[in-house]
Amino acid sequence: MSFTRRSLMAGAAAAASMAPFADISFAQARKVLIMASGQDIPNFDPHVTTGYTPILMMRNTYDSLVRIEGNPPKPVPHLAASWTVSPDGMEYVFKLDPKAKFHDGTPVDADAVKYNFDRILRLKKGNSWMVSGVLGPDSVQVIDKGTVRIKLTKPFVAFLQVLVWQWIANPKVIEANKGTDDAQNYLRANIAGSGAFRVKRAEPGSLYEFERVADAWNPGGGNLSGAIMRIVRETATQRLMLQRGEAHVALDLTSEDMDALKDKPGVVSVIEPEFRTFSIKMNTENGPLADVNLRRAISWAFDYQAMLDTAGYADLMIGPLPTGIFGHDPKLAVPRTDLAKAKEYLAKSKSPTGGIKLEMVHVTGLEQQRRWALVMLDSLKKLNIDLEIKPTLWTDMVARCRSPQTAPDLMPVYQTANYGDPDNIAYAAYHSANNGSWQNMVYHTAKVDKLIEDARAEVNEDKRKALYLEFQKQVVDDAADIFGVLEKRKLAFRDGVQNWKFVPVASNAIELAPLSLK
């Protein structure tokens, strides 16, 4: 079986021809941005949820101490109007913007900031991994209503960058709806933020509508009165919606979609490099792939060139860290297709002649992932291993990651760096603290945990780099993932969308406040 981008596109195009039409002229007149997204939002709780669609919602309905801007991205003031850092990097003092207030008018003060960090550390979910181990119970201190001091328990060079993703919710609302689960049930479907937008309508599986908060403390400079994120599973349908003017932004386009959009009138294409990995996670804890020799066999049998050929605008990954990020080892010895070596490892495994069946899921409608599942199917046949491919809703994939017993054997995952530091990928995707998440469903080893923990705390660059080199070598030896491709970010806009600027982290989690429609 061979794979080409053109041949694999046919099925998607046929499905796209049945796409429903929608008239956005009314939305255009009201300055409502229409976005087409392939993924739903499983949870609104800012301290529980992760993923690009939840981030899109959070960064527009909630605020954090700092925002990210620019390329390369840098933290800039947000709820915190200014800050100072002690010479040893262990203490941060933030001066809050006195104008900041939640949607109900309650001030966003120092008590609210402390309340939120306490909840983040208490729940140990969502983005808590970014501050886990570097903040203790007494780390966040209220100096006065407008001043917060944060003392780290150990050095963490990326601390300011991770604050971008620690959202501050309204303690008054949380306390009123606390129940027995710290308000997790309430915040699952409700917003308690201070952002420039609020959720007007939520229809899971269909659409989410945002409306601008009339008296928002920090409204931004654009003219949008609102936005609609429509769930459109097929990328080809997203592309056709954009071409027809039924959407202003398409968030999940493939390389073929970008090729098809080239020179189309009224369309602005964006193809930019960013720290965004694509790997195929293996269930290292339960089932046949708990056997490291079987994982190594699959790693060597996989057809990397076929994956690259179907990817389009991409490069092959060299190990777990993206090329170009601090600490990445461009000379790392990684598996490349070698069937003889694959069979050597297979012979050492508990299934020396194959004869087994594995399960691989992929996100429903994501054509690129479907193609790579077919590449895996073809690769495994050469080891006499069968593969069952299951298109699955993203929310269901996330749910299956919660235990080794429910996790699939193989699961493809895009991981977009939220901050330009190797800690982002290393801690999220390979530290045991994140087991049960889509970023790291089961993989854990004491050695890798320690390497990651030491690296995030190491301020000496040479020592830090050495730790990451050893980390990459160990993860490759464990064959935790199929290290796939670094795809360039592919987005497309109608030319009536103004003021959008590319930032190479979470770039498809669109920030609405600065945007205008002409």
Side-chain angles (χ1 to χ4, degrees):
M1 185 182 295
S2 63
F3 299 90
T4 65
R5 290 166 55 196
R6 185 178 299 277
S7 65
L8 287 165
M9 187 179 176
S17 66
M18 302 175 66
F21 283 82
D23 182 1
I24 66 168
S25 58
F26 182 63
Q28 184 84 18
R30 292 173 50 229
K31 306 301 181 188
V32 175
L33 186 84
I34 310 295
M35 301 174 285
S37 166
Q39 292 189 18
D40 211 331
I41 302 176
N43 194 322
F44 295 2
D45 192 324
H47 304 150
V48 171
T49 191
T50 60
Y52 91 80
T53 47
I55 288 176
L56 188 155
M57 172 175 279
M58 297 308 139
R59 76 189 316 178
N60 291 297
T61 57
Y62 286 89
D63 292 317
S64 46
L65 287 174
V66 296
R67 296 175 54 248
I68 203 85
E69 276 188 1
N71 188 8
K74 293 181 180 178
V76 297
H78 199 30
L79 288 173
S82 64
W83 56 87
T84 58
V85 185
S86 65
D88 63 0
M90 294 291 287
E91 182 175 305
Y92 294 71
V93 177
F94 296 93
K95 290 287 186 182
L96 303 180
D97 192 317
K99 301 191 301 298
K101 62 179 181 179
F102 293 107
H103 293 158
D104 67 355
T106 303
V108 183
D109 60 16
D111 289 315
V113 173
K114 175 174 171 50
Y115 183 95
N116 275 267
F117 276 96
D118 288 348
R119 184 173 189 263
I120 290 167
L121 295 175
R122 190 166 59 244
L123 292 184
K124 299 179 181 176
K125 295 181 177 179
N127 289 334
S128 66
W129 63 268
M130 296 183 182
V131 295
S132 175
V134 297
L135 295 184
D138 301 318
S139 286
V140 182
Q141 301 169 356
V142 175
I143 305 303
D144 56 45
K145 286 292 183 185
T147 311
V148 178
R149 178 194 292 129
I150 300 181
K151 290 185 173 181
L152 307 188
T153 57
K154 62 177 70 172
F156 181 32
V157 295
F159 182 64
L160 266 181
Q161 297 184 59
V162 304
L163 291 183
V164 175
W165 313 109
Q166 310 301 319
W167 316 104
I168 306 302
N170 191 339
K172 181 179 171 184
V173 175
I174 296 175
E175 285 295 310
N177 299 281
K178 197 164 188 176
T180 58
D181 64 352
D182 222 336
Q184 290 185 72
N185 186 50
Y186 178 80
L187 289 179
R188 184 179 183 84
N190 292 279
I191 298 294
S194 59
F197 290 80
R198 59 165 57 94
V199 176
K200 180 180 181 180
R201 184 168 44 142
E203 298 176 4
S206 179
L207 66 84
Y208 297 85
E209 181 173 1
F210 304 88
E211 67 175 358
R212 188 180 283 276
V213 177
D215 59 346
W217 75 274
N218 190 15
N223 69 4
L224 296 185
S225 61
I228 292 174
M229 188 180 85
R230 189 176 294 280
I231 308 301
V232 182
R233 306 291 184 193
E234 293 78 19
T235 65
T237 306
Q238 292 188 30
R239 169 172 56 81
L240 290 180
M241 287 177 66
L242 192 82
Q243 285 182 239
R244 296 166 180 158
E246 298 165 10
H248 297 105
V249 188
L251 299 173
D252 303 290
L253 298 178
T254 65
S255 295
E256 290 82 3
D257 294 322
M258 301 307 290
D259 291 343
L261 287 173
K262 189 176 181 181
D263 300 325
K264 294 295 182 189
V267 174
V268 177
S269 297
V270 175
I271 302 173
E272 293 280 355
E274 64 177 9
F275 296 140
R276 180 181 182 232
T277 64
F278 175 81
S279 57
I280 300 175
K281 299 282 179 186
M282 296 200 251
N283 190 338
T284 58
E285 186 68 18
N286 183 61
L289 298 187
D291 183 338
V292 67
N293 283 312
L294 184 57
R295 298 199 302 272
R296 289 170 178 159
I298 293 172
S299 297
W300 284 99
F302 188 69
D303 191 339
Y304 296 91
Q305 188 59 50
M307 167 176 258
L308 187 60
D309 289 344
T310 61
Y313 303 98
D315 297 305
L316 285 178
M317 288 177 65
I318 305 173
L321 294 181
T323 302
I325 206 166
F326 175 83
H328 174 253
D329 183 358
K331 299 179 180 177
L332 185 67
V334 294
R336 291 290 183 252
T337 312
D338 184 332
L339 193 56
K341 188 168 287 189
K343 289 184 176 178
E344 286 179 18
Y345 281 115
L346 185 69
K348 298 176 184 175
S349 76
K350 296 175 183 175
S351 307
T353 59
I356 59 173
K357 186 175 185 177
L358 301 176
E359 178 198 28
M360 180 171 177
V361 299
H362 70 80
V363 177
T364 301
L366 278 191
E367 179 60 13
Q368 200 79 299
Q369 290 196 5
R370 185 186 74 86
R371 298 170 188 176
W372 289 330
L374 293 175
V375 173
M376 178 63 78
L377 173 72
D378 191 47
S379 301
L380 290 181
K381 281 182 178 177
K382 295 167 184 171
L383 296 179
N384 189 33
I385 295 174
D386 196 9
L387 183 69
E388 182 179 11
I389 299 172
K390 290 184 178 177
T392 306
L393 294 176
W394 173 245
T395 49
D396 294 335
M397 284 173 62
V398 172
R400 289 194 60 179
C401 294
R402 290 174 186 156
S403 80
Q405 288 69 38
T406 59
D409 296 312
L410 298 151
M411 186 172 107
V413 170
Y414 285 105
Q415 187 166 11
T416 302
N418 298 115
Y419 50 100
D421 188 277
D423 179 75
N424 192 159
I425 301 294
Y427 202 91
Y430 301 102
H431 193 280
S432 63
N434 286 307
N435 286 165
S437 73
W438 61 267
Q439 298 177 92
N440 179 11
M441 52 186 185
V442 299
Y443 175 71
H444 65 96
T445 76
K447 181 176 181 179
V448 168
D449 277 0
K450 187 171 188 317
L451 286 167
I452 293 171
E453 290 164 9
D454 289 349
R456 67 186 341 220
E458 180 57 64
V459 294
N460 181 289
E461 281 201 353
D462 291 337
K463 293 180 180 177
R464 193 167 190 245
K465 184 174 182 179
L467 290 166
Y468 280 123
L469 293 179
E470 181 61 23
F471 154 77
Q472 292 165 85
K473 184 178 176 183
Q474 185 62 48
V475 172
V476 169
D477 189 54
D478 288 343
D481 299 349
I482 299 293
F483 306 107
V485 292
L486 296 166
E487 281 193 88
K488 291 184 179 179
R489 174 62 68 189
K490 299 177 285 292
L491 298 169
F493 296 79
R494 295 298 301 179
D495 58 3
V497 180
Q498 299 178 319
N499 303 333
W500 183 81
K501 295 179 181 177
F502 177 77
V503 178
V505 292
S507 58
N508 58 344
I510 302 293
E511 197 168 32
L512 300 172
L515 302 185
S516 287
L517 285 177
K518 66 178 181 181

